Amino acid sequence: MRTTCASHILHNFTSPYNATVIDRLEKAGYVHPGMTNMDEFAMGSSTENSFYQVTRNPWDTGRVPGGSSGGSTAAVAADECIAALGSDTGGSIRQPAALCGVVGLKPTYGRVSRYGLIAFASSLDQIGPITKDVTDCAILLKAISGHDPKDSTSVGLPVPDYTKVLGRDIKGLRLGIPREYFISGIDPSVESCVKEAVRALEGLGARTVEISLPHTEYAIAAYYIIATAEASSNLARYDGVKYGYRTKDADDLIGMYMKTRDEGFGPEVKRRIMLGTYVLSAGYYDAYYRKAQQVRTLIKGDFERAFQEVDAIVTPTSPTPAFRVGERTADPLQMYLSDIFTISVNLAGIPGLSIPCGFTGDGLPVGLQILGRDFDEERILQIAYAYEQATEWRKRRPEIGVRS
Amino acid sequence: MKITRKEVEHVARLARLALREEEVEQLTRQLSDILTYVEKLNELDTRDVEPTSHVLPVRNVLREDEVCGSIDRGKALVNAPDRTEEFFRVPKVIE
């Protein structure tokens, strides 16, 4: 099967081997229905950065599905498949899951093998399930998790049966509500849906505590240095020699590399390679890359302190519902800001899930994000399931078909 | 921070990207905006903070040094944009 990462540079690429997650799913009896669209090399928040086509949101085809795993979430929301996988480097499972009204989980870094995943930022990337409900999420997570000798960053901890926690009540659990996640700029209907969801969780017996994650406002800046630095190294392999696109027009080897990469990569990918190369270049490494890694330590520390007080953290997944196709493409920085609630989670490595928690007045889905301690996906799934069963959101499906 | 056009051209050479004229112009502007934004990090005093390159507490993951299978030559060459016999072919490297 062709594996393009939605890039021109991999247009004709057929992978000679399977990713570990695919081997595991096949062993569990799964049939591979196909691949979906995405932002090129997972770089984007709207799936508009695809070399191929623009994926539309099943709830409103004038709007984006989110990204980068927007093809996966749209396919699940539109009932084209039972479930899908995505990868999440800064929110690429959770944000499109929120915008498409489905369940999406980014597991703890190290929970799922990345062997065979096309690398974007290796210290942040993680594969996770995108499903219609929490039960499917738990089943799929169990199927893909576990240590893999082919990925030295996959962890040897035992894989629990994640379905066992479903149905356990959440009485007395302490849920942190970070004040930094209810900021100006958050869409009022998103805010009210999330606050209502928090009340519903309280109604189920959870205790909520206001907490602070003081370095939240620095997460995007740290992320766009670390992720692009790692991407610039990872994407150095696309040189037109062993696989992928090669320019038709080159006289020497260096010229071939340079033209191949200019013609083969789209604008967002080039922008990130440039930024990553710049921050790693002589004279700038300490000022940017090292500084960002130090801030990463502070962000991780925020979560460690919070989890001494609470069992899980509850936030909005995205500050806005699905935006219109084309609305944010002109300003890359504006697009980056749509990941404000998801990015720190990848920097800290902790697991996070997005679950539908209501709809805006225009009928667009809103996502609730639940974050847990390292390797405590069970707690997240327990809370998500309790919430899901206490509400009716999962029963709503987009109307799809030709409108008269 | 403002990045200059000359710096953009230098970084493009390092990244092996043959940018077109309009790309150089656009990237000079956009990268300046992004770099100005990330300067926000300088508000934080990080003098005694250790950098985090990796979130897992693992070091030196070792395994048995065993011979095992790898992709055979035929499969490895299937995706080659240009090849000759059992080699990848590239444009001339030396004069």
Side-chain angles (χ1 to χ4, degrees):
Chain A
M1 198 171 299
R2 274 202 305 146
T3 304
T4 66
C5 231
S7 180
H8 185 199
I9 215 157
L10 285 176
H11 180 56
N12 284 318
F13 181 70
T14 302
S15 177
Y17 63 92
N18 271 350
T20 296
V21 288
I22 299 299
D23 280 341
R24 289 208 161 127
L25 287 175
E26 284 182 348
K27 228 174 101 192
Y30 133 110
V31 179
H32 195 25
M35 306 272 235
T36 55
N37 200 12
M38 59 189 288
D39 284 300
E40 182 180 358
F41 285 108
M43 296 178 184
S45 312
S46 67
T47 314
E48 290 166 294
N49 294 335
S50 167
F51 171 65
Y52 298 99
Q53 295 186 40
V54 174
T55 298
R56 307 269 167 168
N57 191 312
W59 294 92
D60 177 349
T61 54
R63 292 175 190 267
V64 302
S68 67
S69 306
S72 296
T73 57
V76 173
D79 215 6
E80 290 177 20
C81 55
I82 292 167
L85 295 180
S87 69
D88 192 314
T89 306
S92 282
I93 290 173
R94 291 159 288 150
Q95 184 259 20
L99 271 47
C100 287
V102 297
V103 175
L105 171 72
K106 182 203 90 78
T108 312
Y109 184 82
R111 179 74 291 184
V112 177
S113 167
R114 293 180 293 113
Y115 182 74
L117 172 69
I118 294 176
F120 162 10
S122 305
S123 82
L124 305 164
D125 297 342
Q126 192 65 191
I127 301 169
I130 293 163
T131 57
K132 291 172 196 177
D133 61 32
V134 177
T135 308
D136 285 354
C137 181
I139 293 169
L140 205 48
L141 179 64
K142 180 171 192 289
I144 62 174
S145 291
H147 178 250
D148 174 12
K150 290 172 177 162
D151 175 3
S152 61
T153 65
S154 72
V155 168
L157 294 172
V159 179
D161 180 350
Y162 292 106
T163 58
K164 287 231 170 97
V165 295
L166 308 182
R168 229 174 254 175
D169 75 53
I170 60 166
K171 281 194 189 85
L173 286 186
R174 294 158 305 165
L175 304 181
I177 315 293
R179 70 174 75 98
E180 290 82 3
Y181 283 58
F182 294 87
I183 43 158
S184 63
I186 183 171
D187 185 281
S189 51
V190 168
E191 186 169 1
S192 70
C193 285
V194 170
K195 288 198 164 151
E196 196 162 321
V198 168
R199 280 194 291 277
L201 289 164
E202 287 168 343
L204 293 166
R207 284 191 292 136
T208 54
V209 192
E210 190 184 78
I211 58 166
S212 176
L213 300 168
H215 298 95
T216 300
E217 63 169 307
Y218 302 99
I220 289 180
Y223 174 87
Y224 277 95
I225 292 171
I226 291 167
T228 59
E230 294 185 19
S232 72
S233 327
N234 274 327
L235 273 61
R237 72 190 68 178
Y238 302 102
D239 58 4
V241 174
K242 296 194 273 310
Y243 47 80
Y245 170 82
R246 180 189 291 189
T247 182
K248 305 287 167 286
D249 159 39
D251 309 321
D252 62 5
L253 189 63
I254 301 285
M256 187 279 277
Y257 293 155
M258 296 192 61
K259 282 189 183 148
T260 292
R261 290 164 62 79
D262 185 56
E263 293 163 16
F265 291 132
E268 180 61 28
V269 174
K270 281 190 255 188
R271 194 151 44 233
R272 296 202 197 186
I273 290 173
M274 287 289 290
L275 182 60
T277 307
Y278 179 78
V279 299
L280 290 177
S281 66
Y284 295 107
Y285 182 93
D286 281 347
Y288 291 104
Y289 187 59
R290 192 183 151 81
K291 180 84 186 179
Q293 289 187 317
Q294 289 172 312
V295 175
R296 183 174 187 180
T297 305
L298 298 176
I299 289 167
K300 195 166 181 286
D302 282 357
F303 284 107
E304 284 162 1
R305 267 187 303 281
F307 282 123
Q308 288 171 5
E309 258 187 86
V310 298
D311 299 300
I313 295 173
V314 174
T315 81
T317 308
S318 162
T320 66
F323 40 93
R324 292 192 180 283
V325 173
E327 192 179 309
R328 294 191 193 171
T329 42
D331 185 350
L333 196 53
Q334 222 29 56
M335 188 71 94
Y336 298 171
L337 295 174
S338 48
D339 300 329
I340 184 153
F341 298 149
T342 47
I343 263 177
S344 357
V345 173
N346 300 75
L347 292 169
I350 60 172
L353 171 144
S354 181
I355 182 171
C357 72
F359 290 83
T360 66
D362 300 332
L364 298 171
V366 174
L368 178 76
Q369 182 174 235
I370 308 172
L371 310 176
R373 297 188 184 104
D374 281 342
F375 300 100
D376 199 8
E377 283 82 0
E378 286 176 291
R379 185 70 80 203
I380 294 178
L381 291 163
Q382 176 194 356
I383 296 165
Y385 185 80
Y387 175 76
E388 177 190 74
Q389 297 304 309
T391 54
E392 302 280 303
W393 307 121
R394 69 189 181 286
K395 295 182 181 156
R396 269 213 227 175
R397 293 273 179 254
E399 275 176 46
I400 298 167
V402 181
R403 294 213 182 104
S404 51
Chain B
M1 193 184 117
K2 290 276 175 268
I3 183 169
T4 64
R5 194 194 154 83
K6 229 179 119 192
E7 284 176 300
V8 169
E9 287 167 347
H10 171 65
V11 173
R13 269 193 303 278
L14 294 176
R16 296 284 188 255
L17 286 168
L19 298 180
R20 283 162 287 123
E21 174 56 32
E22 66 270 24
E23 288 181 296
V24 173
E25 258 175 48
Q26 199 186 35
L27 279 166
T28 305
R29 203 175 55 246
Q30 289 173 335
L31 293 177
S32 293
D33 284 352
I34 296 168
L35 289 169
T36 305
Y37 175 77
V38 302
E39 267 172 27
K40 202 178 166 56
L41 298 183
N42 295 330
E43 294 167 14
L44 295 171
D45 180 358
T46 52
R47 253 172 307 177
D48 300 318
V49 180
E50 283 296 311
T52 297
S53 60
H54 213 277
V55 290
L56 294 172
V58 288
R59 295 271 180 281
N60 298 334
V61 178
L62 301 174
R63 60 169 170 77
E64 291 304 310
D65 187 16
E66 286 166 341
V67 178
C68 53
S70 55
I71 292 170
D72 67 49
R73 185 151 41 198
K75 260 188 166 179
L77 283 162
V78 155
N79 286 296
D82 193 8
R83 54 194 269 203
T84 173
E85 295 160 24
E86 61 218 35
F87 300 104
F88 296 107
R89 181 155 61 189
V90 294
K92 196 152 98 179
V93 183
I94 42 172
E95 286 302 317

